[in-house]
Amino acid sequence: MAVLDSKIPQGPLDEKWVYHKNHINLVNPANKRNIDVIVVGTGLAGSSAAATLGELGYNVKTFCYNDSPRRAHSIAAQGGINAAKNYQGDGDSNYRLFYDTIKGGDYRSREANVHRLAEVSSNIIDQCVAQGVPFAREYGGLLDNRSFGGVLVSRTFYAAGQTGQQLLLGAYSALNRQINRGKVQPFNRHEMLDLVVVDGKARGIIARNLVTGEIERHGAHAVVIASGGYGNVFFLSTNAMGSNVMAAWRTHRRGAYFANPCYTQIHPTCIPVSGEHQSKLTLMSESLRNDGRIWVPKKKEDAEAIRAGKKRGVDLAEEDRDYYLERRYPAFGNLVPRDVASRAAKERCDAGYGVNKTGQAVYLDFEAAFKRYGKVEALTHGHKNATEAEMIKLGKEVIKKKYGNLFDMYQNISDDNPYEVPMKIFPAVHYTMGGLWVDYNLQTTIPGCFAAGEANFSDHGANRLGASALMQGLADGYFVLPYTIGDYLADEIRTGEIPTDTPEFDQTEKETRERIEKLLNGSGKHSVDYYHKKLGLIMWDKCGMSRNATDLQSAMDEIRDLREDFWANVRVTGTADTKNQELEKAGRVADFLELGELFAKDALDRNESCGGHFREEYQTPEGEALRDDENYAYVSAWEYNENPRDAKLHKEELVFENVELKTRSYK
Amino acid sequence: MKLNLKIWRQEGPNVKGKLVDYPLDGVDGDMSFLEMMDILNEELINKGDIPVEFDHDCREGICGSCNMMINGEPHGPQKLTTTCQLHMRKFNDGDTITIEPFRAKAFPVVKDLIVDRSAFDRIQQAGGYISVNTSGNTQDANSIPIEKEKADEAFWSATCIGCGACVAACKNASAMLFTSAKISQFALLPQGEIEATDRVEAMVRQMDEEGFGNCSNTGACMVECPKGIKLDNIARMNREYLKAETIA
């Protein structure tokens, strides 16, 4: 395939989706009963898609590596979900949600997709409330909203700090209803190992039963990949330990293009790495930046003394602190978007001002908030002559009510009391905006193979705004895919059941088995984690928050060498015919070792800085990102070609008819 | 610090298991309990032994995957804490720590510390949902106001992570805390109330069929629950059940 056809419908922006729904093909309910669909991954996007497809009448099989769909990593999302309901009457609209998302993504996403996302966002809230999702409410009984970074309206719906959990459990309950009705057949503790393509169309998958080790064949008229993102290519990230790229990557190997692999969101407020043993990173909600001030010492000798344990940050005088975000970005201060805040923290730490043992942390300080809230509390309760200590005590109680659970979590992990000393934070890999390339119907370049949620590339451009991941997952699953998949399946009503005893299934299964055997037959020098950690270090040092051509080129070489070493020398214990977590991990790390190289190649191709992709060669004299709209306003879609470095670039030019491309400025 | 671990090893559901001693050195207080298990496994792999299998995923205390009996307590000694959020600074140099799977008839051992909790899914599938089409044509979310206290209570019931600690802590291996939390969430919301009768009957029936025991009001489930799910839910479930039986 030489030309990428995005299939964006005709007409004005706000009529495209309606027009499209009115003109795509439908499948008659009697025929839906004869059509099988496989959904790989059962997080927000997968569960909602599978439930809705079952509801519509298709026969659905779901695949999930966990023991239950309820454990998908969508469950860990904290902050909320955006929807342009305008319940607050503060001027929100579909257009504003669309505009904020396009701008937040640094003008690297597709207008039509993003507008559709904004349009269906309201339906998501209605749907979830009808399903019994207990969103936060006001005393009048109506839904509550809060505001989030990068926008000027309150459009974020939430359920305490556990919004992802409640939305996932909602989708999981919808899924359970279809399982009970017999329309969805769940395959938990199963992993998709390959896609089966017959005559150019996706016709099923090869899966492994993770308990028995059995290799299974499953045929279907269409396959939906909803397997999440690939942030674990960095080893350390906020992703769940098992989150992997396998389903998407194996699909890529079978011909689906992989888009924008280098777009990674680094979240600025994570708990810093504490030592060599660290297995993953924990996020502190972005909402903390509403009240916390971020700083490092002004003088290098103070930073050194703090790192050596000879001084404490809390004792540093006000004039010796550098509130660098407030200094650099007076208009937005501590509330600049995630990519900007992350880079600024890295810049200070690289310059030698970091405040923990490793020099990789900055302070998030609530002292000013304690005083500010405490003063108001004291005055409103008649303590006109309260001392500063009394006011601080009162202020701490206010903060406890707002963020108590986050403060407890921080103390539990770091063993520091954030009411007494400032928190230490550092940026960490959080979300990947790249993924399988899809057209407006969410179909990959393999007919019959679709991708939804974080597994596709479509809606966030080069940077994702907070509270938008949950929105996209549910929009794709509940309201987009169930329509668009029908357009493809309408031509499949005469196909009949997909047989799995064909040469294509034989061949794909054979290759899968050979791959497993090869993994088990390494020389046995090093564990799987040894390779994963090495890869993670290369990725973080050379493809992380900022990149340059020299480093990216050497990253490509190092990853290739590491991959060769992995296949020759990895030690995978146990056998293939039983539960074997080392074997599971090995298969996933093998994919990360390919994806990592493509990631670096993609970053090397993009000679500009945008969103989560910062190239050191392309910045303003003040160190801000320098985009190049003339040459890089495209989606890079990579075609697999045996070796990641030989992947072939296809460009989908992005057309902006409704928004003007501007430089993002937060000064 | 130096530890003496006693870990349950069992190759499969039909193989006899046993506690095996693993001395472990170089454990840092900042490690989470699961990171301590990671370094043990790394050591085992380097020696050519088979690592210990255990369920874990988010390591942020929310997915409900991790499930170990640590010195006889589900998720270990720290209250309101999952195993992944338990840190080694809670232990002392030279400690002996016994690590076993959650034990219950309805949770058969899969391998080592991994048990099969799919009975929980089947209880949910029996009726733990609201029968609404995913059509995109549902009524506006604000058309039915819900009292804040009730919405909050429904939320607190809904925060159950389905880890199974309640079952493991209960001398009867009862799943009532889990089941009642789900029943409570829906019974408290107007959207779920209409089906409340069928729901409570179906879910309780399924719970019994799975082989979970009955509740004898000991309260160990609440004490060990990492999310603080309250016994009130069981009371509410019993009320809902009685109501359903009376109507029938």
Side-chain angles (χ1 to χ4, degrees):
Chain A
M1 189 188 289
V3 183
L4 287 169
D5 181 4
S6 63
K7 299 209 178 86
I8 295 170
Q10 60 183 60
L13 185 66
D14 57 357
E15 288 170 23
K16 283 181 193 292
W17 178 228
V18 177
Y19 176 89
H20 192 63
K21 281 197 290 185
N22 287 338
H23 290 83
I24 53 175
N25 293 315
L26 294 176
V27 182
N28 133 9
N31 287 327
K32 284 183 185 140
R33 290 196 283 271
N34 301 322
I35 288 183
D36 305 319
V37 182
I38 282 171
V39 178
V40 180
T42 46
L44 275 183
S47 281
S48 56
T52 311
L53 292 169
E55 173 90 57
L56 288 172
Y58 297 108
N59 308 309
V60 182
K61 284 182 179 178
T62 58
F63 291 82
C64 160
Y65 75 74
N66 276 312
D67 66 335
S68 167
R70 66 172 298 140
R71 312 205 196 282
H73 196 53
S74 308
I75 207 159
Q78 296 171 352
I81 176 167
N82 287 334
K85 279 280 202 184
N86 196 28
Y87 278 159
Q88 305 300 336
D90 53 4
D92 202 7
S93 66
N94 290 347
Y95 181 82
R96 282 190 191 275
L97 175 49
F98 155 76
Y99 180 80
D100 290 342
T101 309
I102 290 274
K103 180 189 170 196
D106 221 351
Y107 305 91
R108 290 293 174 264
S109 44
R110 207 188 267 155
E111 278 192 345
N113 284 60
V114 178
H115 197 276
R116 174 174 64 188
L117 177 69
E119 276 174 84
V120 304
S121 66
S122 291
N123 276 344
I124 298 173
I125 304 303
D126 297 341
Q127 181 66 46
C128 293
V129 167
Q131 282 169 351
V133 171
F135 283 118
R137 295 202 172 243
E138 294 168 346
Y139 278 97
L142 302 179
L143 292 162
D144 197 8
N145 290 110
R146 58 184 171 198
S147 60
F148 240 69
V151 296
L152 300 169
V153 292
S154 283
R155 65 159 72 101
T156 306
F157 294 78
Y158 66 100
Q162 296 161 38
T163 317
Q165 179 192 31
Q166 292 310 316
L167 292 172
L168 180 69
L169 293 181
Y172 164 70
S173 74
L175 184 69
N176 279 331
R177 177 165 165 259
Q178 300 304 327
I179 293 171
N180 199 27
R181 293 178 68 218
K183 290 308 294 181
V184 173
Q185 206 186 341
F187 291 84
N188 300 337
R189 290 204 197 269
H190 273 69
E191 186 155 62
M192 165 180 164
L193 296 185
D194 217 332
L195 183 79
V196 181
V197 179
V198 181
D199 295 333
K201 290 179 176 175
R203 286 303 192 198
I205 65 169
I206 303 293
R208 181 167 182 268
N209 178 329
L210 300 179
V211 176
T212 63
E214 206 175 324
I215 303 293
E216 300 173 1
R217 302 176 180 196
H218 297 272
H221 297 85
V223 176
V224 178
I225 307 291
S227 52
Y230 49 84
N232 270 339
V233 67
F234 287 85
F235 186 71
L236 284 183
S237 82
T238 65
N239 285 228
M241 298 297 286
S243 293
N244 65 83
V245 75
M246 188 184 275
W249 192 254
R250 303 283 165 94
T251 303
H252 171 57
R253 286 170 63 106
R254 293 287 168 196
Y257 292 1
F258 205 97
N260 300 336
C262 80
Y263 288 166
T264 309
Q265 179 167 74
I266 314 277
H267 199 294
T269 55
C270 296
I271 300 177
V273 175
S274 67
E276 291 281 309
H277 59 268
Q278 193 103 15
S279 60
K280 74 152 283 176
L281 299 171
T282 302
L283 183 75
M284 301 296 290
S285 171
E286 184 177 350
S287 63
L288 290 174
R289 283 198 283 146
N290 282 305
D291 283 311
R293 296 177 74 192
I294 295 173
W295 64 275
V296 290
K298 236 180 219 168
K299 289 182 263 177
K300 235 179 216 171
E301 55 267 33
D302 281 340
E304 281 157 10
I306 289 171
R307 283 201 293 274
K310 289 179 192 148
K311 242 182 192 172
R312 298 193 316 159
V314 69
D315 299 327
L316 232 57
E318 192 63 21
E319 61 270 20
D320 292 328
R321 302 176 175 194
D322 175 17
Y323 297 94
Y324 59 89
L325 286 177
E326 297 168 35
R327 170 169 59 79
R328 280 178 69 176
Y329 309 99
F332 279 69
N334 295 298
L335 278 172
V336 290
R338 294 173 178 180
D339 54 335
V340 178
S342 297
R343 271 196 299 278
K346 180 184 180 341
E347 189 275 330
R348 282 293 80 190
C349 290
D350 287 351
Y353 295 90
V355 294
N356 70 349
K357 263 187 267 174
T358 60
Q360 302 286 302
V362 300
Y363 287 125
L364 175 63
D365 194 337
F366 291 84
E367 196 185 354
F370 294 150
K371 286 184 187 160
R372 182 160 41 88
Y373 284 118
K375 192 172 172 190
V376 175
E377 276 293 288
L379 290 174
T380 48
H381 289 89
H383 305 303
K384 305 289 176 208
N385 301 316
T387 62
E388 189 171 271
E390 282 166 340
M391 284 195 273
I392 288 177
K393 191 165 171 263
L394 288 168
K396 282 178 182 169
E397 279 161 26
V398 176
I399 289 286
K400 191 171 192 157
K401 278 187 192 138
K402 287 182 92 162
Y403 310 111
N405 61 332
L406 295 170
F407 274 54
D408 291 347
M409 183 170 87
Y410 179 85
Q411 181 162 11
N412 200 15
I413 293 174
S414 70
D415 207 25
D416 264 349
N417 181 352
Y419 293 102
E420 301 303 327
V421 295
M423 286 185 183
K424 289 177 202 143
I425 54 163
F426 198 67
V429 172
H430 183 50
Y431 186 95
T432 45
M433 281 76 67
L436 290 172
W437 184 90
V438 289
D439 63 17
Y440 190 72
N441 287 334
L442 304 186
Q443 186 166 243
T444 68
T445 49
I446 301 175
C449 181
F450 296 76
E454 195 180 349
N456 75 30
F457 87 101
S458 72
D459 293 356
H460 307 299
N463 179 45
R464 180 180 64 78
L465 285 182
S468 288
L470 302 181
M471 175 174 63
Q472 192 218 339
L474 290 180
D476 285 359
Y478 282 138
F479 302 124
V480 177
L481 193 73
Y483 275 102
T484 58
I485 204 169
D487 191 52
Y488 172 81
L489 293 172
D491 293 331
E492 294 289 335
I493 56 174
R494 288 179 195 84
T495 307
E497 202 176 328
I498 305 297
T500 56
D501 55 352
T502 59
E504 290 87 355
F505 272 93
D506 290 347
Q507 181 59 28
T508 314
E509 181 180 326
K510 187 172 156 261
E511 288 172 25
T512 307
R513 286 183 185 280
E514 284 167 359
R515 197 177 162 88
I516 290 174
E517 255 161 56
K518 210 171 149 198
L519 284 172
L520 286 165
N521 289 336
S523 79
K525 272 196 202 142
H526 304 292
S527 71
V528 178
D529 274 354
Y530 165 90
Y531 289 99
H532 197 176
K533 286 179 181 171
K534 283 209 153 190
L535 172 66
L537 278 180
I538 301 171
M539 294 300 296
W540 183 247
D541 289 343
K542 299 188 168 168
C543 313
M545 263 187 284
S546 70
R547 301 121 187 219
N548 62 60
T550 318
D551 281 353
L552 288 168
Q553 191 57 59
S554 80
M556 286 180 69
D557 295 340
E558 286 175 45
I559 296 169
R560 179 201 51 206
D561 294 347
L562 189 65
R563 188 172 61 239
E564 282 167 8
D565 186 38
F566 170 89
W567 281 105
N569 294 318
V570 71
R571 167 182 291 184
V572 183
T573 51
T575 57
D577 56 356
T578 169
K579 180 108 189 74
N580 187 341
Q581 290 174 326
E582 281 304 300
L583 179 61
E584 294 163 25
K585 255 196 312 202
R588 296 165 187 168
V589 171
D591 291 337
F592 282 135
L593 284 164
E594 291 182 8
L595 169 90
E597 194 178 334
L598 185 67
F599 187 122
K601 183 180 165 83
D602 185 47
L604 193 56
D605 166 74
R606 194 164 282 279
N607 293 318
E608 64 163 350
S609 293
C610 61
H613 169 66
F614 190 83
R615 278 283 298 274
E616 287 157 12
E617 303 94 322
Y618 307 98
Q619 53 179 310
T620 66
E622 297 86 39
E624 303 300 334
L626 198 60
R627 225 173 51 221
D628 178 356
D629 293 330
E630 200 157 314
N631 295 304
Y632 291 95
Y634 62 75
V635 173
S636 53
W638 298 95
E639 180 183 352
Y640 184 75
N641 191 8
E642 291 302 316
N643 212 317
R645 71 179 52 215
D646 299 328
K648 194 171 159 222
L649 177 64
H650 299 263
K651 296 177 184 176
E652 179 197 340
E653 297 294 338
L654 290 166
V655 183
F656 293 92
E657 293 169 332
N658 299 278
V659 295
E660 186 195 342
L661 275 67
K662 286 183 188 160
T663 301
R664 292 194 306 161
S665 168
Y666 300 96
K667 294 191 186 282
Chain B
M1 57 182 123
K2 240 182 193 161
L3 297 171
N4 177 31
L5 305 173
K6 286 181 173 308
I7 303 179
W8 186 260
R9 301 302 306 259
Q10 186 172 345
E11 271 178 46
N14 304 314
V15 190
K16 224 176 143 199
K18 61 169 192 252
L19 280 169
V20 178
D21 283 307
Y22 295 100
L24 186 64
D25 202 354
V27 176
D28 187 303
D30 283 340
M31 286 177 187
S32 73
F33 200 86
L34 298 184
E35 284 166 350
M36 180 276 291
M37 295 292 289
D38 289 344
I39 62 159
L40 169 73
N41 276 346
E42 189 74 11
E43 266 192 32
L44 292 178
I45 293 165
N46 289 337
K47 277 196 289 186
D49 288 345
I50 305 285
V52 182
E53 301 248 339
F54 57 95
D55 265 330
H56 64 98
D57 202 16
C58 81
R59 298 201 176 188
E60 288 183 31
I62 191 79
C63 77
S65 293
C66 57
N67 55 336
M68 298 177 185
M69 291 300 264
I70 300 165
N71 289 337
E73 279 185 280
H75 299 294
Q78 194 176 335
K79 296 302 157 215
L80 299 173
T81 306
T82 54
T83 303
C84 65
Q85 294 292 295
L86 176 66
H87 283 73
M88 296 315 293
R89 62 180 81 95
K90 303 284 168 193
F91 297 88
N92 300 311
D93 188 34
D95 275 0
T96 295
I97 307 176
T98 307
I99 308 168
E100 296 164 277
F102 280 5
R103 296 195 192 278
K105 185 179 147 206
F107 286 172
V109 173
V110 173
K111 190 174 184 180
D112 297 338
L113 303 173
I114 297 177
V115 297
D116 178 357
R117 289 170 287 186
S118 55
F120 271 14
D121 289 294
R122 289 188 292 273
I123 293 173
Q124 288 261 81
Q125 283 150 19
Y129 48 77
I130 291 173
S131 302
V132 57
N133 281 3
T134 53
S135 59
N137 293 315
T138 42
Q139 61 186 329
D140 184 84
N142 260 348
S143 60
I144 307 175
I146 301 174
E147 210 181 312
K148 181 173 164 50
E149 281 76 12
K150 280 208 164 169
D152 286 350
E153 231 180 304
F155 167 76
W156 288 116
S157 298
T159 55
C160 164
I161 56 172
C163 64
C166 48
V167 173
C170 178
K171 60 187 178 187
N172 308 322
S174 166
M176 277 213 184
L177 195 67
F178 167 79
T179 310
S180 68
K182 212 66 212 167
I183 284 171
S184 287
Q185 179 197 343
F186 293 126
L188 284 161
L189 297 171
Q191 291 86 354
E193 231 177 284
I194 291 158
E195 303 174 85
T197 327
D198 287 349
R199 177 180 306 114
V200 70
E201 287 184 330
M203 290 179 80
V204 168
R205 194 185 317 123
Q206 189 65 38
M207 190 174 78
D208 291 343
E209 274 172 24
E210 296 291 347
F212 292 105
N214 218 322
C215 172
S216 50
N217 293 312
T218 311
C221 53
M222 185 174 80
V223 174
E224 298 294 350
C225 173
K227 294 295 151 183
I229 301 291
K230 290 190 189 139
L231 278 183
D232 307 20
N233 290 298
I234 297 185
R236 190 177 292 107
M237 177 172 88
N238 287 336
R239 271 203 307 279
E240 290 291 319
Y241 193 76
L242 253 172
K243 210 159 71 183
E245 294 295 283
T246 317
I247 292 166

